[in-house]
Structure formats: C-alpha cells, structure tokens
Amino acid sequence: MCNAAMNACERGSSWCTASLLLREMKHEKLSPDCISYSSVINACHKNSLWAEALDCLKELQHSSISPDNIAYNSAISACEKAGSWQAAFALLDDMCKRKLPPDLITCSALTSACDKGGEWEMAMAILHQMPKLGVLPSVVTFSALVSALGKGGQWKIAISIFEDALSQNVTPNEVLCGSIINTCGQASQWQAALHFLADMFVMKIRRNEVTYNSGIGALDGTQEWQIAVHLLEQMALEVLPGVVSYQTAMSVCGKASVWAKAILLLDSVTKSAQDMPATWTAAISACSSGSQWQAALHLGAQMPKEDFGCCKSYGAVMTACAQQNRWHFVIALFSEMLSLKFPPDCSHFQTAISACRSWEWMLNLLEKSREQSLELGFDTYNIVLMTLRKSGKWDIALASLETIAYPDATHYANVILAMGEASEWRQSLAMMNGHQLDVRTANSAISACERGSQWKQVVGVLQHMHTHHIEMDATTVSAAADACPSWQLAISLLNLAMHDSVQLSIESFNAALNLCQDSWRTALSILVWLSAGISPDHISCGSFLSSCEKAGEWRVALQVFWELPSRSSQCFDILNRVLVGAAHWQLTLQLMSQMLEQRLMPNGMHVASAAQALKMPGMSARLLQDSLGLWKANAPEVFIWNSNLKMTLAEAGCHREVLASRPGILAMSKPPNMTTEAILEELTDRVSSRDPELACFTSVSRLDFPTSGVLIVAHGPPESPAANWLQAQFASRLVKKEYLCLVEGKSLGEVGSQGEIVQPLLTISSNRGSRVEASSLGQEAQTKYEVLQRFPLNGTSMELIFLRVAPLTGRMHQIRVHFSSIGRPLVGDLTYNQFSQANLSPRLFLHCHQMELQDLELKPFAVKQSLPGDLQMVLDNLHKK
C-alpha cells in the first residue's frame, strides 16, 4: 500500500510527499524495499533535484537492501536532467562495482547527460561500449548523441552516426532528424540541414514545428532569406507556424539586411503572436541588424506595452539606436521605460551608458543602477572612466573609481591617463605608487608624464618597473619613446627594449621617427631598421617625408616614397608639400595623376598646394575647377546637397545661428567664448534630433575662442565635395575675409588710412596650450588693414583705433599677434595684451564681419554679420565720451 502511495506521488512529481512517506515507513518499522527508494529517486528526478536523488540513493546503498538498475537509472536520469555528466558517470562506476549491468535506459541517460555537458567524445565512447554490454542503441540514444556532436561542431560524424542508425534498423523519428538538422545548422552547413529536412518527407517522417524551426534556423547568418520565407510558407501547409518560427525567419531576414521583409512577417503573424513581446523583439532586432534604427524606433512606438516582457524589446530598440550613435534616442527610450515602471536590467544600463556622449548623463545612469543594486560589468565602468578622461574630468573619474566595488588595473590605468591628459602628472604618479603596480598602470603613468614633458619622471617609472620585476611591453616602449626629448635617447630606448626581447610595435619606431625632423639621415636609418621587421605605415612615411621637407631634400623624399609599401593619401599630401616647397609644379601635377591611378582622391589641401605651386592664375583656377568636378562625380548624392536641410535647420531651431546657406555650405553665427568644435557639435546634435541622416558637418575654418562672427561650415563629411572645395579655397587664399577690431596704441593715420603687416608667425606649443610669436623662423603671414574710426585717449599720445582688417593668410591668432607685434594690441585680448590700460570691452574686440567665396556652382557666396551688441555698445560709449 505504501509503495502504491509513493508511486502516486512519483507520478504527481511530489517528491516531498514521497520522501515523507519513506521516512514514515522507516519510523513505523515497515521495511521499505528497492521500489520504495526508486519511487522517491524518480520523484526527485522529475523535480530536477539531482542532489536529493543522490542522497536517497546513498541511503539505499547503506541500507540492507541492494540497489537495482531501476534505482540507479532513476538517479542517473536525475543527473542527466541537471546536466551533471560527471555525477552520472560516477554512478555508472558504482553500478559496475556492484556488478549491475547497464541497460538501454542507463546508456541513453548517460548519453543525454554528455549532450547537456557538451562532452561529445564521452557520448561516442558510450555508443561504442553498448554492443559489448549486449545493449542495442535506440533512437533516443542516437538522438542524444547527435545533439552532443552538434554542440561540438562535429556535423560530419553526426551524419555518419545517422547512417549507422539506419544500418542497425533503428527507425528514425522527428527528434533524431531534428537533431541532425540542428547539428548541421550549428556548423553553418545549411545545405545539408535542408537536405535532411527534405528527406524527412521521403522517409515519411512527420515534419513538426521543431524540425522546421531547425531548418529555418540553419539559414541564420546567411543571405538565403528567400529560402527561409519559403520554408515558413511550406511549413504552414503541414503544421501551424508558431511564434518561434516567425522569430527565427525574422532573424534570418535581419542578418541578411532585408529588414523590410521582417516587418512584413510581423504583420502576417496571428494576433495572439503579435501580443507577445518576443515577436516584436525579433522584428526590431532585424531592423537593428540592417542598421535601420528609425524603423526599429517606429516599431518600438507601436509595440504593446502591457507587461514587463517588453523590456527586451526596449533593449533591442536601444541597441539599434546606439549602433548608429543616436544617443539622444537611447536616453529617451530609457527614460520612457522608467516612466512606465518597467525595471531596466544591466543590459539596458550598459547600452545607455555605452551610447552616451555626455558624461553627466553617464554619471546619472550609474547612480540609478546603484539605486537598483545592479552590478554593471567592468567594461561599462571603463567606458565611463574613458569618457570622463576625454572630457578632462580627472577629479570626477577619481571619485567614480572609488565607487567601483572591485576595480582592476584597467580602471586605475584610465584614471591615471585622465590625470595625465589634464597635466596632473604628479597625481598620476601618486596613484601609481599608491596601488598595486602592473604594466598597465605603469604605462598609463608614463603616458601621463609624457604629456607633461617630464622625461626624468618617465625614467623613474621605468626604473620602478625594473625594481619590481615588471617587464616592459610594446606599449611601454611606445609611450616612453613619445616622451624622449631627443632621437638619440629614443634609439637607445629601442635598443634596450630589443635587448630585453620586447616585441617592438610600429608605434615605437614612429615615435623615434617623429623626433628626427631635423635629421633626415637618422630618419632614413630608422625607416630601414623598421622595414627589416615591420612594414612601415602612413605615419612612418609621413614622419620621414616631413624630415625631408625641412631639409629641402625633395629628391630623397621622392625616391624613398615610391619604395615604401604603404602610401596613403596623407603621405601624398606631405610629398606634395615637399615638391611645392621646391617649386617643382610639374612633379606636383604628376603626383596628383599618380594618386588618381591608385584610386586615391586628392583632398582640398592637396589641390590648393598644387594650385599655388603653378603660380599661373589661369591654370590654378582650372585645376581647382577640374578638382571640384572630380569630387562631385565621386561623392554620394546625399553629400552633394539635400533639399531638406533648410527645413530641418528651421525645425531644429537653428534659424538664428545660420546666417545663410547654399548647397553643401552653411554660414554660421559664432558667439564669443565658444570653440568652433563646440559649435559643430551642437549643430550636429540639434539636426540629429530631427533628421540624423543630415547631421554631418565638417569644419573648414576656425575662429578663436573669444572671437565672434561669420563661420563657414561644410555640410557633409571631410571627404565630401563641399568640404574639399571650401578647404581648397581657404588654402589657396581665395576666400575674402574681413574682420572688425579695436586696437590701442599710437596712431595709424587718419580715417581711411590703409596699411599692411608682413611678419612670419611661429606657433609654440607647451603644456598650457599654444602661443604664437612674431619670428623669422615662422610661417609667412600677411594682414591688411584700414582705419575706420579714431578715439584719442585724453592726456596721452595713445588712442583707440577701430579697424577693418583683411588677413591674406590664415595663421593661428594672426590678427591678434600681428597688431601686438607693431605695438597696437587688440582691446580685451587677455593673451597678447595683458597690460592694457583701456579696460573698455567685456571681451576680445574682434569680430569676423564678412566672408566671400564661391559655392559648388562657382557662384559668389558673400555673407555679412554686423557688429554684435556688446561690441557695438563699446563703440557707442566711446562716441559719447
């Protein structure tokens, strides 16, 4: 009676009740037999409680009753269900010791355990042992073996096993055929998979939903989306396609970039299937695979939002937007999830943080993840620290580091680099010494010292590494070489690294080459040394050519250039400069022809240099116009002009900032105290919010941070016709520029007087930035001016002079330095007029009043902007005085 009750518990999967009955039998001294224990073990198996099943078997082993095959098979089946193949084989060993012969159930369960554990060799061993045990494998055994082979990528063995099953008169069923199809699909053998699917019809084996899904799944990652759709249609004639069938077909379409077909499949599924978030997730993922973030966003807006199941769909839409750098939409979707009370998981936070271009948003997201007690991955924290590093927020990066539970060396390295890039090399050294030193943190400290031009500190870090037995790697040598103050030290460092068997990288050699700007012979010897083991790249080529350019060695540059294996368009540009400097315009034109033969497109700077070298206005103009036609002919249509840009700019609220526009060209109104780069970034973000396809702009000229006025911007990437054409005009000095400024000093003549400043300018870089000086060692610079108004300063020979200025060259800080060099610095210039007595202007009194150039149709494009209110008020006050 007790056994019958326990059998009932076993059938009902009530292992707890079965265990209680067993305990009650022992308490009442009713001797339980092997069947009693087997019932409990089987009940544990059905509840995936393999540890409890083993405990029950051990209890049986220690009792006066000998366990039989049924008990062992039940325990092995419990181990198989839990995927614990080692425990299953331990039970097999125990069976053999007790001289209990394994039967078909034993072998099938062991094979299934090997399948779940991914141990296809062990599964094969069982099959080979079965004949010796007098056991004939069944279709269940073969199915489990084929499944194990699939996980091991052994599709050919799986096919031979299938043939063995047929030779042993084993009747294949849909499970075995489904395993074969799945195995072929996992090995990317979709033809073989579909062959077996077709053979099922010949063998009169019913093809069910699982076998069809395996066949469609075999096409995932291929371009055979038509076959997948055909299989779905064929499936509908035999069995009703389920949600998984449609999801699999959508995935195939998505990875084949046929995202529109995936959306059509979504429309064709049943209403009940459409209500399932997984169906929408599959369609959205298909759009993501096809880089169609807008379609994914549209589906995300349409999908049902009734339960937490749509969280994965939100994740798929966020991923689609993140892949195309649409971080504003990623944040908006994340915020929408929170507003709908859908709890984001780690993947949502990681996607949002990775997509962010704003460090403030990143920190906000990190704080929200901590509120939900989510532990984000190490890579996510690295992304945050790298973003803070690029934003110059080393102090915030340091504070964020302290919030990471278990920071690793990469996290410390990122913070050390952030300190170095903010010229806080002392802080970086302190952090390196305060934590466990390894090669990553040491390399970061070396880079930090290099940015601070602290060569002695770099040597100290290298000695510290040697003392602590930390071996240098290629990054160490490259970073240290960048810090070397001379090429002699760099070469010594490279020799030392080679002596220590460090595998040198091309970056190490390039760092040494960059130091040889005044010694082309040394650069050539390093280039030969590099070529012996590593192929020089375009940076190596450029550094060598630059050394030749300074020495005027155009013949050497030309000879070595054609012997180098890697010649990028940048290398052609540098060689072009060398030839232009040597006044060899014929060779310059030949070089452009050779670029085109190698399918390299000359850019605007290259063409401008060639045009200047010609020194013949007619030929120069013809060269520029021919180049414009070439750029147009080789550019995608969207980069020539898009008629929707004007409307998009208005919708994005940019109408005040945009003074005028032509196809491919924008004239922006730059406010003071804002960088040119920040203007472009803001413009890109605002246009992206309306039409991301149009959000692509390139800077072709710059205005200083404190300067206001007309700023010309190209619509399109750097290689677009507009960018190249505008750069060519600026570099060829064809753009007419007019500035308004207020200077102080001795008189420059009566109103209407004109003058010219011709003085070379030299840019000097330091840790604090760049400063320009008038120097005979600098580049040619020329500025014309006209006196518009004069304001004498009472009691002195000094006066304030309002000027119209036309810089004929475009050197950094040209107007400011030129007038400072003749004793008439600009009013409000904190860099070049530190001792100004006329504290009249709230900022630098310099405004770009007019720009005149040619558009892409060779028509004049002139833009003016009057003096802004703050500077006009300065003039008005002077008039009153």
Side-chain angles (χ1 to χ4, degrees):
M1 184 182 289
C2 289
N3 283 348
M6 293 174 76
N7 281 332
C9 294
E10 173 202 334
R11 287 193 297 273
S13 301
S14 180
W15 72 275
C16 187
T17 307
S19 298
L20 288 173
L21 284 172
L22 183 65
R23 194 178 304 164
E24 190 66 27
M25 286 177 70
K26 288 187 283 185
H27 183 264
E28 295 294 335
K29 297 183 180 180
L30 297 171
S31 300
D33 56 13
C34 201
I35 296 173
S36 310
Y37 281 98
S38 296
S39 296
V40 177
I41 294 170
N42 219 22
C44 293
H45 157 230
K46 290 182 178 180
N47 283 276
S48 302
L49 300 168
W50 67 281
E52 286 78 0
L54 292 183
D55 289 340
C56 189
L57 182 64
K58 285 179 184 176
E59 189 178 323
L60 175 60
Q61 290 168 342
H62 290 93
S63 69
S64 58
I65 309 165
S66 297
D68 58 7
N69 279 46
I70 297 174
Y72 272 103
N73 287 347
S74 297
I76 290 172
S77 296
C79 295
E80 171 266 324
K81 195 169 185 179
S84 180
W85 64 273
Q86 299 96 330
F89 272 90
L91 291 175
L92 177 65
D93 289 339
D94 197 46
M95 283 183 72
C96 294
K97 289 176 184 176
R98 293 177 179 270
K99 297 182 179 180
L100 290 172
D103 56 19
L104 179 59
I105 297 174
T106 314
C107 295
S108 297
L110 285 167
T111 308
S112 294
C114 293
D115 169 28
K116 291 187 177 178
E119 297 291 328
W120 66 270
E121 294 98 336
M122 298 293 290
M124 286 290 292
I126 294 168
L127 184 71
H128 292 147
Q129 287 295 321
M130 288 179 73
K132 297 177 183 178
L133 299 171
V135 179
L136 293 175
S138 68
V139 70
V140 176
T141 316
F142 280 112
S143 299
L145 175 57
V146 168
S147 181
L149 290 166
K151 290 175 182 173
Q154 304 297 320
W155 67 279
K156 290 183 179 178
I157 299 176
I159 290 175
S160 66
I161 291 296
F162 183 81
E163 292 169 352
D164 288 345
L166 295 180
S167 65
Q168 295 181 36
N169 296 321
V170 173
T171 303
N173 61 8
E174 60 268 23
V175 177
L176 177 56
C177 291
S179 296
I180 285 284
I181 295 168
N182 201 42
T183 296
C184 293
Q186 287 173 335
S188 301
Q189 299 297 320
W190 64 270
Q191 296 94 335
L194 298 191
H195 175 74
F196 271 96
L197 185 64
D199 280 354
M200 287 182 69
F201 181 78
V202 177
M203 291 185 288
K204 297 183 179 179
I205 301 171
R206 179 178 171 270
R207 293 182 288 196
N208 59 16
E209 183 183 348
V210 175
T211 51
Y212 266 109
N213 289 349
S214 297
I216 297 170
L219 298 165
D220 209 8
T222 72
Q223 295 296 311
E224 308 298 332
W225 63 273
Q226 298 97 330
I227 300 176
V229 174
H230 173 71
L231 284 176
L232 194 65
E233 293 169 352
Q234 183 179 311
M235 178 183 180
L237 301 175
E238 300 179 30
V239 60
L240 183 66
V243 175
V244 176
S245 313
Y246 281 99
Q247 290 171 2
T248 309
M250 288 177 196
S251 178
V252 175
C253 292
K255 291 177 182 176
S257 299
V258 192
W259 56 274
K261 188 64 180 178
I263 295 177
L264 289 176
L265 289 175
L266 175 67
D267 292 336
S268 65
V269 299
T270 60
K271 178 65 173 67
S272 59
Q274 275 199 359
D275 290 339
M276 298 182 68
T279 310
W280 288 87
T281 303
I284 293 166
S285 297
C287 296
S288 178
S289 298
S291 303
Q292 298 297 321
W293 68 273
Q294 290 165 307
L297 201 61
H298 180 68
L299 290 178
Q302 287 185 315
M303 68 183 181
K305 303 177 179 69
E306 296 173 358
D307 56 41
F308 293 162
C310 68
C311 288
K312 285 188 177 181
S313 303
Y314 268 103
V317 182
M318 289 168 66
T319 300
C321 294
Q323 287 173 348
Q324 302 302 314
N325 299 317
R326 313 299 175 185
W327 73 277
H328 288 295
F329 292 103
V330 176
I331 298 300
L333 288 162
F334 188 89
S335 301
E336 184 177 309
M337 284 187 69
L338 295 177
S339 67
L340 294 173
K341 309 297 183 185
F342 292 153
D345 60 18
C346 285
S347 65
H348 295 106
F349 276 102
Q350 288 164 352
T351 301
I353 290 172
S354 301
C356 265
R357 284 168 55 187
S358 162
W359 62 268
E360 294 95 338
W361 264 106
M362 281 187 170
L363 295 182
N364 184 31
L365 291 168
L366 272 182
E367 185 60 34
K368 288 185 183 297
S369 71
R370 292 192 198 101
E371 290 173 3
Q372 297 189 25
S373 302
L374 293 174
E375 189 59 43
L376 303 182
F378 278 14
D379 289 343
T380 306
Y381 283 108
N382 273 330
I383 290 169
V384 173
L385 294 175
M386 281 191 287
T387 304
L388 289 169
R389 187 186 98 202
K390 291 175 182 176
S391 303
K393 304 295 180 182
W394 69 269
D395 49 343
I396 301 176
L398 180 60
S400 299
L401 179 67
E402 294 171 356
T403 66
I404 304 175
Y406 302 102
D408 65 3
T410 308
H411 297 134
Y412 283 107
N414 265 314
V415 177
I416 291 171
L417 280 174
M419 292 172 171
E421 290 174 9
S423 301
E424 297 287 342
W425 58 271
R426 292 181 180 85
Q427 292 276 6
S428 64
L429 288 178
M431 171 159 276
M432 181 196 74
N433 293 323
H435 297 88
Q436 186 175 359
L437 183 69
D438 78 345
V439 70
R440 288 171 291 182
T441 52
N443 290 347
S444 297
I446 290 171
S447 295
C449 294
E450 178 267 322
R451 290 186 68 88
S453 302
Q454 299 296 319
W455 165 245
K456 290 184 179 179
Q457 300 297 337
V458 171
V459 174
V461 175
L462 292 173
Q463 290 173 343
H464 199 54
M465 291 176 70
H466 179 73
T467 304
H468 289 79
H469 306 290
I470 297 173
E471 294 183 357
M472 293 191 298
D473 61 12
T475 306
T476 314
V477 180
S478 175
D482 280 331
C484 287
S486 68
W487 60 263
Q488 293 92 338
L489 285 171
I491 290 175
S492 298
L493 179 65
L494 295 182
N495 282 320
L496 176 63
M498 290 189 71
H499 180 268
D500 290 347
S501 301
V502 177
Q503 187 69 38
L504 296 178
S505 66
I506 194 168
E507 287 78 15
S508 307
F509 286 101
N510 287 345
L513 275 168
N514 194 46
L515 292 167
C516 300
Q517 297 301 299
D518 297 323
S519 177
W520 68 268
R521 288 183 174 86
T522 306
L524 181 59
S525 65
I526 293 174
L527 199 62
V528 172
W529 182 12
L530 168 62
S531 302
I534 307 173
S535 178
D537 62 7
H538 68 277
I539 298 175
S540 320
C541 174
S543 296
F544 171 72
L545 292 176
S546 293
S547 67
C548 292
E549 180 184 10
K550 289 196 173 182
E553 292 289 339
W554 65 270
R555 291 181 179 85
V556 176
L558 197 59
Q559 181 181 348
V560 174
F561 178 80
W562 294 114
E563 293 176 1
L564 291 171
S566 176
R567 294 184 295 270
S568 66
S569 57
Q570 295 99 316
C571 297
F572 274 95
D573 290 341
I574 298 172
L575 180 59
N576 178 67
R577 285 207 314 264
V578 176
L579 297 174
V580 169
H584 284 287
W585 63 268
Q586 298 95 333
L587 291 175
T588 300
L589 293 180
Q590 288 177 20
L591 190 66
M592 284 187 63
S593 299
Q594 287 160 338
M595 282 188 75
L596 294 173
E597 287 175 8
Q598 296 188 25
R599 296 186 177 181
L600 292 173
M601 185 64 62
N603 61 24
M605 299 298 289
H606 191 126
V607 172
S609 297
Q612 283 183 296
L614 289 173
K615 298 188 183 298
M616 290 177 274
M619 289 185 65
S620 299
R622 178 64 183 272
L623 176 61
L624 289 169
Q625 291 175 19
D626 289 348
S627 299
L628 175 59
L630 191 65
W631 292 323
K632 283 184 176 181
N634 288 274
E637 187 68 28
V638 69
F639 295 148
I640 295 175
W641 178 244
N642 192 304
S643 58
N644 293 329
L645 181 61
K646 271 191 176 181
M647 186 184 300
T648 305
L649 289 169
E651 290 174 351
C654 301
H655 54 285
R656 292 182 180 177
E657 290 87 347
V658 178
L659 300 171
S661 65
R662 290 279 176 87
I665 307 173
L666 292 179
M668 304 290 297
S669 170
K670 179 192 173 299
N673 301 325
M674 192 172 186
T675 64
T676 300
E677 292 75 17
I679 292 282
L680 260 68
E681 186 173 341
E682 183 178 307
L683 176 66
T684 302
D685 285 346
R686 289 169 73 174
V687 172
S688 178
S689 67
R690 294 292 176 179
D691 190 344
E693 299 300 324
L694 298 179
C696 186
F697 302 93
T698 299
S699 173
V700 292
S701 66
R702 295 186 75 259
L703 292 180
D704 294 343
F705 178 76
T707 305
S708 58
V710 181
L711 177 68
I712 302 297
V713 174
H715 178 224
E719 67 275 12
S720 66
N724 278 321
W725 176 237
L726 292 173
Q727 283 176 345
Q729 290 186 79
F730 275 103
S732 300
R733 304 176 186 175
L734 298 176
V735 178
K736 294 180 182 178
K737 296 171 281 187
E738 184 180 294
Y739 288 76
L740 299 175
C741 68
L742 187 68
V743 302
E744 61 178 303
K746 293 183 178 180
S747 174
L748 287 172
E750 298 297 326
V751 172
S753 298
Q754 297 182 356
E756 185 176 13
I757 306 172
V758 180
Q759 177 69 56
L761 298 179
L762 178 67
T763 302
I764 301 171
S765 298
S766 67
N767 298 336
R768 297 180 180 179
S770 297
R771 183 181 173 87
V772 181
E773 294 181 359
S775 169
S776 59
L777 300 175
Q779 292 179 301
E780 170 200 3
Q782 185 178 4
T783 305
K784 291 186 175 182
Y785 64 86
E786 179 186 355
V787 177
L788 298 179
Q789 296 179 42
R790 300 171 62 198
F791 303 95
L793 294 175
N794 294 333
T796 69
S797 61
M798 310 291 283
E799 57 183 61
L800 298 175
I801 312 163
F802 185 48
L803 301 172
R804 178 188 291 118
V805 179
L808 303 184
T809 51
R811 309 302 177 198
M812 180 179 179
H813 299 176
Q814 178 174 319
I815 296 174
R816 299 160 66 185
V817 177
H818 264 176
F819 282 99
S820 178
S821 71
I822 63 170
R824 279 84 170 178
L826 269 67
V827 170
D829 193 338
L830 302 179
T831 304
Y832 302 105
N833 186 15
Q834 297 178 356
F835 304 104
S836 171
Q837 296 179 359
N839 188 19
L840 301 172
S841 179
R843 63 173 175 91
L844 174 69
F845 200 121
L846 181 61
H847 176 72
C848 183
H849 173 58
Q850 180 174 342
M851 285 277 188
E852 186 175 346
L853 44 84
Q854 285 187 329
D855 65 13
L856 293 175
E857 300 302 323
L858 303 179
K859 295 178 180 178
F861 179 56
V863 183
K864 285 186 179 181
Q865 185 185 27
S866 57
L867 207 62
D870 57 346
L871 299 185
Q872 185 62 52
M873 187 177 294
V874 173
L875 287 184
D876 293 344
N877 289 335
L878 289 173
H879 279 293
K880 290 176 183 177
K881 291 180 181 179

